[in-house]
């Protein structure tokens, strides 16, 4: 996108598509710069402080620019109309890039799973190194809000979804990381290849990439990229890589002599010490090294960091039964990593599958799952694969009550789930909420789903109600 689109925003007639967090933040930034802003949304009917147009009332030729929030597809009639009328399409992240301080540096990260924890850990490492930094983007603060913050961060660490990357053109990063690529959001992108292509477009926006050597798609898709590739894995690293030597996380990439190695930390200092969490710590350490943070500060950051809520979060340990909330595991790849961290699992799963297939997941985890408790709109997709791939696994279907409403105080659905798990659990079991699906069919969000699971465990198991 030509940068001159962003140079003079005053009096530009701009339509912002999407009245969610990102769209509203971008609209505010545009208004502040004198633009004439209107907002349209497919669901929202009122928006305080803005002129809100119904989609049916939009005449796109009346606007100089269309700013798309993430999630608007190429085949949406509004996008098609804008292209036909030659109305330039912009996005929130490129807008933020055009407005940021010239001295502010950006780091970018994407992947199917582990993005949020890794960007938060990376930002924590940079701050521990004495440099101001914020994790933003597809987590917490929008990028435009981070750029406009009075704190004037020296580094922004951006979590980037496939939706954001689809529209991104201008932003450039000190370094980027790709953690993994697995089937997700296929209903939006149309195919796994299209989804992966949007993810890998991030490589073209940096000269240095931290890449997962244990993910075949990452290795294959990055093979012809000409920038500096630093691979990480849970194996012994070759020169130029980062990885594990015995019980240590080590760096053989960002050292004066590649024949030597520097220690990031001890393996036991990464908590929880499960494979995908260790892998994410290596990725974050690599990104932090590109920001100039030394190994000692990275170790200090790892030892003081704890993942956010709803990410392999232990809710209760009682009678040798562990209850874990991993509601953030919203696709099969994330659920598999979570399940494989335990030996005997009562698995709570289901929701909206987003077009993802479940066969590979069941094949991978069937030796670890003893019972599956299924909820939600697409639970039968999981049940069918369990019956065909793992008929020995007991399946329990839990229905919501007739008067159950999303977001209401009634928590009977999760309480029924937890009671079923409690009645079936044996010493040594892990009762694991790792749904492999999105939440919006029965909950407000993955956080709401995780909170309700936690509340039900406290009430039913801890307090015996």
């Amino acid at each position: 996108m030509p940068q001159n689109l962003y140079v003079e925003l005053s009096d530009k007639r701009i339509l912002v598509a999407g009245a969610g967090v990102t769209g509203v933040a971008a609209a505010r930034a545009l208004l502040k710069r004198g633009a004439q802003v209107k907002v349209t949304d497919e669901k929202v009917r009122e928006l305080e402080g803005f002129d809100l147009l119904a989609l049916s009332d939009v005449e796109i030729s009346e606007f100089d620019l269309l700013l798309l929030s993430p999630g608007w597809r190429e085949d949406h009639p509004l996008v098609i109309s804008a292209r036909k009328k030659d109305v330039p399409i912009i996005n929130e992240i490129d807008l933020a890039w055009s407005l940021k301080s010239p001295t502010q540096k950006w780091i970018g990260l994407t992947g199917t799973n582990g993005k949020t924890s890794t960007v938060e850990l990376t930002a924590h490492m940079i701050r521990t190194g004495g440099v101001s930094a914020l994790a933003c983007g597809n987590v917490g603060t929008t990028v435009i809000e981070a750029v406009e913050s009075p704190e004037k961060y020296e580094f922004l660490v951006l979590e980037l979804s496939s939706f954001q990357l689809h529209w991104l053109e201008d932003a450039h990063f000190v370094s980027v990381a790709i953690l993994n690529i697995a089937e997700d959001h296929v209903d939006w992108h149309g195919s796994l290849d299209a989804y992966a292509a949007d993810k890998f477009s991030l490589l073209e926006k940096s000269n240095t990439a931290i890449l997962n050597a244990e993910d075949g798609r990452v290795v294959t898709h990055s093979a012809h990229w000409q920038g500096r590739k630093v691979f990480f894995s849970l194996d012994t690293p070759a020169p130029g890589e980062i990885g594990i030597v015995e019980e240590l996380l080590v760096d053989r990439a960002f050292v004066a002599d590649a024949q030597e190695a520097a220690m990031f930390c001890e393996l036991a200092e990464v908590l929880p010490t499960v494979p995908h969490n260790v892998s994410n710590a290596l990725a974050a350490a690599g990104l932090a090294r590109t920001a100039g943070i030394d190994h000692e500060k990275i170790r200090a950051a790892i030892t003081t960091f704890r993942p956010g809520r709803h990410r392999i979060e232990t809710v209760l340990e009682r009678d040798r039964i562990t209850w874990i909330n991993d509601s953030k595991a919203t696709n099969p790849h994330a659920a598999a990593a979570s399940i494989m961290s335990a030996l005997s699992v009562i698995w709570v799963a289901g929701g909206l599958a987003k077009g993802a297939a479940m066969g590979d997941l069941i094949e991978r985890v069937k030796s670890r799952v003893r019972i599956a408790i299924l909820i939600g709109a697409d639970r039968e997709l999981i049940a069918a694969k369990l019956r065909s791939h793992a008929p020995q696994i007991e399946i329990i279907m839990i229905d919501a009550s007739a008067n159950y409403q999303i977001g209401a105080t009634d928590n009977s659905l999760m309480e029924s789930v937890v009671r079923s798990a409690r009645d079936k659990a044996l010493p040594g079991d892990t009762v694991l909420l790792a749904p492999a699906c999105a939440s919006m069919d029965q909950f407000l969000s993955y956080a709401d789903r995780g909170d309700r699971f936690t509340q039900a465990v406290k009430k039913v198991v801890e307090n015996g109600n």
Side-chain angles (χ1 to χ4, degrees):
M1 184 69 64
Q3 278 291 311
N4 59 12
L5 286 178
Y6 302 101
V7 171
E8 185 51 67
L9 295 168
S10 179
D11 293 326
K12 284 274 177 59
R13 300 167 300 169
I14 303 176
L15 179 65
V16 174
V21 173
T22 300
V24 169
R28 287 185 180 135
L30 292 167
L31 277 177
K32 192 165 87 171
R33 287 164 175 82
Q36 300 175 35
V37 179
K38 292 188 178 181
V39 181
T40 188
D41 193 277
E42 293 183 297
K43 297 179 180 178
V44 177
R45 295 291 173 260
E46 293 183 8
L47 188 62
E48 186 177 352
F50 295 96
D51 290 332
L52 189 64
L53 292 177
L55 271 171
S56 58
D57 294 334
V58 170
E59 177 46 64
I60 194 64
S61 61
E62 295 177 356
F63 296 92
D64 300 309
L65 296 170
L66 170 63
L67 188 146
L68 290 179
S69 300
W72 289 70
R73 291 165 46 140
E74 290 280 0
D75 60 359
H76 192 282
L78 181 62
V79 176
I80 294 172
S81 178
R83 296 209 188 281
K84 284 183 178 178
K85 301 286 187 177
D86 292 323
V87 176
I89 296 172
I90 62 175
N91 61 83
E92 175 253 349
I93 296 176
D94 282 338
L95 174 64
W97 176 255
S98 74
L99 300 175
K100 77 175 188 67
S101 161
T103 60
Q104 186 179 76
K105 298 175 182 178
W106 286 13
I107 286 172
L109 180 143
T110 195
T112 303
N113 298 304
K115 296 186 296 296
T116 299
S117 294
T118 309
V119 296
E120 289 175 343
L121 177 54
T122 303
H124 181 57
M125 288 173 175
I126 295 172
R127 289 192 298 269
T128 303
V131 179
S132 63
L134 180 71
C136 62
N138 198 44
V139 51
T141 307
T142 64
V143 182
I144 192 73
E145 289 171 321
V147 162
E148 301 219 297
S149 169
E151 296 194 40
K152 306 300 180 190
Y153 298 101
E154 296 173 70
F155 273 89
L156 296 184
V157 185
L158 278 65
E159 176 186 329
L160 295 163
S161 70
S162 57
F163 307 138
Q164 291 168 315
L165 287 168
H166 180 81
W167 297 106
L168 188 63
E169 294 188 21
D170 297 333
H172 193 80
F173 302 87
V174 170
S175 60
V176 298
I178 301 179
L179 300 181
N180 42 61
I181 299 292
E183 192 175 56
D184 199 16
H185 300 299
V186 173
D187 52 347
W188 193 93
H189 291 274
S191 69
L192 176 57
D193 286 344
Y195 166 74
D198 281 332
K199 290 288 193 181
F200 283 102
S201 68
L202 183 58
L203 291 177
E204 304 308 322
K205 296 169 176 64
S206 180
N207 297 320
T208 301
I210 313 299
L211 302 167
N212 187 352
E214 297 181 304
D215 187 293
R217 289 190 181 96
V218 171
V219 174
T220 299
H221 281 77
S222 64
H224 301 294
W225 180 65
Q226 297 301 305
R228 181 189 183 191
K229 290 177 274 197
V230 177
F231 285 102
F232 65 91
S233 75
L234 302 182
D235 291 328
T236 301
E241 298 179 348
I242 53 182
I244 307 290
V245 176
E246 296 180 347
E247 298 299 312
L248 304 177
L249 278 66
V250 300
D251 176 12
R252 296 191 69 189
F254 302 96
V255 288
D257 183 349
Q259 300 307 313
E260 302 295 328
M263 182 181 77
F264 286 127
C265 68
E266 295 182 18
L267 184 61
E269 292 174 321
V270 180
L271 296 175
T273 313
V274 295
H276 61 285
N277 205 41
V278 176
S279 182
N280 293 342
L282 288 166
L287 291 173
R289 289 294 290 139
T290 70
I293 308 305
D294 66 37
H295 297 90
E296 292 77 13
K297 296 299 184 182
I298 289 173
R299 181 178 189 178
I302 288 173
T303 59
T304 56
F305 180 77
R306 297 294 177 269
R309 297 205 54 228
H310 313 295
R311 300 172 182 87
I312 48 176
E313 176 186 10
T314 299
V315 175
L316 182 67
E317 293 179 284
R318 172 172 288 188
D319 300 326
R320 293 182 54 218
I321 299 165
T322 303
W323 300 77
I324 291 180
N325 164 23
D326 197 8
S327 185
K328 190 68 165 63
T330 58
N331 56 61
H333 186 267
S338 193
I339 293 167
M340 296 305 289
S341 298
L343 294 176
S344 178
V345 175
I346 296 179
W347 178 32
V348 181
L352 295 172
K354 303 174 290 182
M358 296 292 167
D360 289 347
L361 165 64
I362 302 305
E363 191 63 35
R364 183 177 178 194
V365 306
K366 63 184 181 182
S367 65
R368 304 292 181 97
V369 176
R370 197 166 66 80
I371 298 168
I373 301 176
L374 305 182
I375 61 175
D378 291 332
R379 63 185 184 177
E380 184 56 38
L381 292 176
I382 301 173
K385 295 303 179 182
L386 284 166
R387 294 186 194 107
S388 61
H389 291 268
Q392 77 280 5
I393 296 175
E394 180 181 354
I395 299 171
I396 300 173
M397 299 282 206
I398 302 292
D399 294 308
S401 63
N403 58 356
Y404 180 81
Q405 294 183 345
I406 296 174
T409 56
D410 170 33
N411 197 27
S412 58
L413 173 59
M414 270 304 180
E415 288 172 8
S416 295
V417 167
V418 169
R419 286 194 181 94
S420 294
R422 178 199 60 189
D423 294 345
K424 293 286 187 176
L426 301 173
D429 280 346
T430 296
V431 181
L432 174 64
L433 173 66
C437 293
S439 59
M440 285 75 75
D441 57 330
Q442 293 181 312
F443 305 95
L444 295 172
S445 62
Y446 78 81
D448 178 50
R449 177 171 61 189
D451 285 339
R452 289 176 180 274
F453 176 76
T454 298
Q455 292 163 10
V457 172
K458 300 284 188 185
K459 177 180 178 180
V460 173
V461 182
E462 190 170 34
N463 298 325
N465 293 329

